[in-house]
Amino acid sequence: MRRQTVDPRIRSKVIATWGNRCWLGMPGCSITATEDDHIIPFSHGGKDTVANLRRACKHCNAMRQDRVLSGYGATMHVVIGPPRADFGMAMQPMLRRDSIVVSFDSLLRDLCPTQSKASDGLRLAAAMAWDGAARTLAKSSEPLDVWLVRTLPRSRRHPDMLSEWIALDYDVHVIETPASETFALDLSHQEYRTAQQWYSLHLTQQAVDARMAARRQRLAALGLRHGDDTARPRW
Ligand SMILES: [Zn+2]
């Protein structure tokens, strides 16, 4: 890991301009910042300037790693929904021709096209492929249009992905299939379990929109978004 010291005079200006409250506010945030965080990561050539630095707590800085704030490099979207939700249909109108789609179901199908009931081992392999692709693309400095598709917004290592996504300004779409519809399908044991977990989260687009709007206001106050549209400062 690089260790790099920001000029104390720049740091003072960063604190005077943007405050010393952690800019990320990820799950487990300590609120009070103790570190300098580069908006455009240092590894992407991000500079030690007041424009590119915000204060972060140690926990969030470590949790973020070098993931970009959506739009400062890759633009990140997420589509979540219960098992068997029609993700393709939901995304179709929003996808660009060059959009990149990372879908757990597609990865699982690619690994084993003929197996209708995938084993736990195979599902783990698909989950790891999903994680690897998502993690790599989330750090991309290229202006890629990335769509992450999955059911539950959590994993063992990331118990609250939704909050991480919102912190990094991802566009999150929730497919709201009624529980009665999902449970009426011939679900596998695994799908049934996942569906139970999905509906216990009570996720709605409205609730997620409210959280994204609050986050975007904060990002605007931090000089990282203009107004409430999708415009972001160019970098
Ligand atoms: Zn924090």
Side-chain angles (χ1 to χ4, degrees):
M1 278 303 277
R2 87 195 142 79
R3 257 289 151 236
Q4 195 231 4
T5 315
V6 168
D7 184 330
R9 285 166 302 180
I10 303 275
R11 179 179 300 135
S12 302
K13 274 190 204 158
V14 169
I15 294 172
T17 310
W18 312 118
N20 198 41
R21 192 176 127 206
C22 176
W23 83 275
L24 282 161
M26 286 190 165
C29 180
S30 337
I31 313 293
T32 303
T34 53
E35 301 189 348
D36 306 298
D37 193 18
H38 293 77
I39 300 301
I40 297 166
F42 185 73
S43 57
H44 293 178
K47 301 252 181 351
D48 286 3
T49 58
V50 175
N52 193 45
L53 288 168
R54 299 294 181 278
R55 298 283 289 165
C57 76
K58 191 180 163 87
H59 168 85
C60 290
N61 206 356
M63 186 175 250
R64 177 192 172 191
Q65 296 182 312
D66 272 352
R67 283 185 284 176
V68 298
L69 178 61
S70 178
Y72 291 77
T75 297
M76 305 295 296
H77 313 261
V78 179
V79 186
I80 47 176
R84 307 271 191 100
D86 197 338
F87 293 101
M89 178 122 102
M91 280 188 296
Q92 206 52 51
M94 302 183 282
L95 289 182
R96 301 188 335 204
R97 267 158 55 122
D98 59 350
S99 293
I100 293 166
V101 178
V102 184
S103 155
F104 176 82
D105 286 345
S106 304
L107 290 166
L108 189 60
R109 265 198 306 277
D110 285 347
L111 285 170
C112 189
T114 55
Q115 192 167 329
S116 57
K117 291 201 168 112
S119 67
D120 284 351
L122 214 57
R123 297 185 67 85
L124 179 62
M128 290 181 76
W130 193 96
D131 281 344
R135 198 175 325 130
T136 303
L137 292 163
K139 294 178 184 178
S140 177
S141 60
E142 293 174 73
L144 305 172
D145 191 56
V146 178
W147 291 76
L148 306 180
V149 181
R150 62 181 291 134
T151 49
L152 298 172
R154 62 186 186 200
S155 69
R156 212 152 47 96
R157 284 178 57 194
H158 296 270
D160 186 2
M161 286 179 173
L162 182 61
S163 296
E164 292 185 41
W165 294 332
I166 291 172
L168 292 171
D169 203 15
Y170 290 19
D171 273 312
V172 182
H173 303 269
V174 182
I175 301 181
E176 298 182 34
T177 311
S180 55
E181 261 179 50
T182 299
F183 286 110
L185 301 168
D186 180 26
L187 300 176
S188 70
H189 179 63
Q190 176 64 46
E191 286 172 324
Y192 189 86
R193 245 180 10 203
T194 306
Q196 282 181 317
Q197 290 172 41
W198 167 265
Y199 287 104
S200 74
L201 296 175
H202 302 290
L203 289 168
T204 64
Q205 187 68 58
Q206 198 184 12
V208 170
D209 281 347
R211 292 187 59 189
M212 291 195 294
R215 177 60 179 157
R216 282 163 189 179
Q217 267 189 355
R218 168 93 172 117
L219 289 172
L222 285 162
L224 298 171
R225 249 194 184 263
H226 294 316
D228 57 0
D229 61 6
T230 55
R232 295 168 176 91
R234 295 178 69 83
W235 67 286

